[in-house]
Amino acid sequence: MHPNKESNRHSSSYIDLNSELSPFIEKLNKHKVYQSLRSIRHIQIFMENHVFAVWDFMSLLKALQLELTNVSIPWTPNSNPVITRFINEIVYGEESDINELEQPKSHFEMYLDAMEQIGANRNQIDTLIDLIQSGHGIEVCINKINVDKRVKEFMGFTFSIINTKRPHAIGSAFTFGREDIIPDMFIKILAKIDPKNVHFNKLKYYLGRHIEIDGDLHGPLALQMMEELCGKNMKKWDEALSVAKESIQYRMQLWDTIVELIDKKESTPKLNSSFIN
């Protein structure tokens, strides 16, 4: 960063960061993956790989909770109640939301239920969870599952940021690195195949909650968190920008992987009724 800019970047630091990220986000939002989802089988492939991003998002959130709230015993007040409230609100929403049956469930578990209902293969994500619960280290767990190496690299990057234990870096990956468009094509396909919302209602509900909670509530709160974490520290803003760019690049690599996997399946039999004309 040019030295002369440092003095006038205090309150506008987020605006500057967002401006520098705009080309990356625009490229992500125009990715081919959104035009590749043309059938239920394509959505299955998407979910079988995207589920790992849904899962490790929770680890980013929990890392922020550990770093920014007091979870030790005996308890003492946190020095920044604004951040404490943000973290507690988002953990509440992501880890214990209400599903379509009015049962408490995490968004990750809702995603798994939607995968099962739509016929996506849960074997690898279930294996990963089993390995973790058995006490294996995260690197071992990721290496043991049978998914594309680029999906593993995506998770590996997430945990490399978590392991820095730098709240502004973790917060950047959480806030900017998970910039995500829920494809309208999902909803269009499901509306045509399941117009009465009977067979794939779990995915429809998940998408609705994702848009409502993440876009309308958690998104603005996350931006407030970054302002609190970086403040007037230009070095932190620069590091946040670097992490955000790299996170978006890994997301685009994940999207590239999914497109390739969909293309490979094009020669397999398809249900004609599941395609949009």
Side-chain angles (χ1 to χ4, degrees):
M1 180 184 303
H2 194 283
N4 293 336
K5 292 184 179 180
E6 187 164 339
S7 62
N8 61 10
R9 276 200 60 197
H10 297 327
S11 62
S12 64
S13 295
Y14 161 65
I15 296 174
D16 294 342
L17 182 148
N18 196 49
S19 176
E20 293 192 54
L21 285 180
S22 291
F24 292 84
I25 295 173
E26 183 178 0
K27 186 176 180 181
L28 177 67
N29 291 346
K30 292 181 178 178
H31 196 281
K32 184 181 176 182
V33 72
Y34 301 116
Q35 287 74 49
S36 298
L37 301 172
R38 301 182 303 275
S39 74
I40 292 298
R41 180 58 190 138
H42 295 162
I43 292 180
Q44 291 170 347
I45 294 170
F46 180 94
M47 296 183 77
E48 288 164 6
N49 293 277
H50 177 244
V51 66
F52 295 98
V54 177
W55 168 74
D56 74 359
F57 172 84
M58 286 302 300
S59 291
L60 282 171
L61 174 57
K62 285 298 183 176
L64 287 171
Q65 187 177 36
L66 288 172
E67 295 292 333
L68 300 175
T69 70
N70 193 336
V71 294
S72 62
I73 305 296
W75 176 87
T76 56
N78 189 282
S79 61
N80 193 324
V82 173
I83 289 181
T84 298
R85 181 175 178 83
F86 163 74
I87 295 298
N88 287 337
E89 282 194 16
I90 201 166
V91 168
Y92 172 75
E94 295 287 344
E95 193 173 32
S96 56
D97 200 5
I98 301 297
N99 71 2
E100 79 285 356
L101 300 175
E102 298 188 353
Q103 301 167 336
K105 278 202 174 183
S106 68
H107 285 186
F108 170 69
E109 291 169 301
M110 291 184 197
Y111 198 92
L112 292 181
D113 289 345
M115 287 180 69
E116 188 168 348
Q117 188 184 56
I118 207 167
N121 191 327
R122 284 182 43 173
N123 288 347
Q124 297 310 310
I125 185 62
D126 288 343
T127 297
L128 178 66
I129 298 301
D130 288 343
L131 287 167
I132 293 170
Q133 291 176 337
S134 296
H136 296 283
I138 185 59
E139 186 174 349
V140 172
C141 296
I142 290 174
N143 286 335
K144 278 183 174 288
I145 58 175
N146 183 24
V147 295
D148 190 282
K149 68 176 183 178
R150 291 164 294 183
V151 178
K152 295 181 180 182
E153 288 170 357
F154 180 92
M155 291 184 283
F157 172 75
T158 297
F159 284 93
S160 74
I161 297 301
I162 289 172
N163 289 337
T164 68
K165 297 187 181 298
R166 298 201 303 263
H168 64 283
I170 301 170
S172 180
F174 179 90
T175 304
F176 305 110
R178 296 310 178 96
E179 184 77 24
D180 194 8
I181 297 294
I182 293 295
D184 288 340
M185 187 61 70
F186 268 34
I187 298 173
K188 290 179 182 177
I189 292 173
L190 296 174
K192 181 164 185 176
I193 305 308
D194 186 22
K196 294 184 178 180
N197 198 28
V198 174
H199 301 293
F200 305 122
N201 62 305
K202 292 183 182 295
L203 180 55
K204 286 184 181 178
Y205 183 87
Y206 171 86
L207 294 173
R209 290 300 287 167
H210 182 93
I211 293 169
E212 179 182 355
I213 299 295
D214 293 355
D216 298 339
L217 177 61
H218 292 169
L221 288 174
L223 298 180
Q224 292 178 29
M225 176 187 70
M226 289 305 299
E227 290 281 2
E228 293 286 334
L229 290 176
C230 294
K232 297 180 180 181
N233 189 318
M234 296 303 107
K235 182 179 179 181
K236 287 185 177 181
W237 280 113
D238 287 342
E239 290 176 349
L241 175 61
S242 178
V243 169
K245 286 181 178 179
E246 199 170 1
S247 298
I248 294 171
Q249 288 168 344
Y250 272 97
R251 173 54 64 97
M252 285 192 284
Q253 179 178 286
L254 179 64
W255 280 182
D256 290 342
T257 304
I258 292 172
V259 170
E260 288 182 22
L261 292 173
I262 288 174
D263 288 344
K264 286 180 181 178
K265 291 292 183 181
E266 283 298 289
S267 60
T268 60
K270 310 177 184 71
L271 295 174
N272 291 333
S273 62
S274 68
F275 275 81
I276 292 180
N277 296 324

